[in-house]
Amino acid sequence: QVQLVESGGGLVQPGGSLRLSCAASGTSFSINSMGWYRQGPGKARELVASVTSGGDTNYGDSVKGRSTISLDNANNTVTLQMNSLKPEDTAVYFCKAVIGIRGYNYLYWGQGTQVTVSS
């Protein structure tokens, strides 16, 4: 069994920055990819950013140019740095991981962390 533990988030002023981290823990697993998705009020869940174990990254259009995602393979932790935050970045942010266990891939989601951008 693998667990995802998210940290970061909270209340941020417009123009500010935040850092979200998500650590995967468990036994006998490997990370294929990790990333962050978000769901704003009344909106569908959307990609924020993702990264593979090989370092390939993918960003949602709404955060390109002001976000950086990185994966620490040794500690199974993904970190998302977001800058120049806007009120429309307000959402619940979810960590997502594709985990390899004994030759099979499994999808895991974190419980979500609230990010509110407001003055």
Side-chain angles (χ1 to χ4, degrees), residues 19-81:
R19 177 172 293 189
L20 301 177
S21 293
C22 174
S25 63
T27 57
S28 302
F29 70 94
S30 61
I31 300 292
N32 290 331
S33 66
M34 295 186 76
W36 288 92
Y37 285 68
R38 69 186 183 187
Q39 188 164 15
K43 297 181 180 180
R45 192 171 294 190
E46 64 174 359
L47 170 71
V48 178
S50 65
V51 58
T52 70
S53 59
D56 294 328
T57 58
N58 188 28
Y59 293 91
D61 289 341
S62 60
V63 303
K64 280 181 181 176
R66 57 190 185 96
S67 297
T68 303
I69 192 167
S70 60
L71 177 62
D72 179 347
N73 284 297
N75 293 301
N76 299 317
T77 299
V78 64
T79 299
L80 175 69
Q81 176 74 35

Side-chain angles (χ1 to χ4, degrees), residues 90-119:
T90 295
V92 179
Y93 284 68
F94 297 91
C95 177
K96 173 186 172 183
V98 178
I99 304 285
I101 301 175
R102 294 173 184 159
Y104 293 90
N105 290 328
Y106 298 87
L107 176 61
Y108 287 85
W109 289 95
Q111 78 281 5
T113 184
Q114 177 70 46
V115 172
T116 301
V117 183
S118 175
S119 55

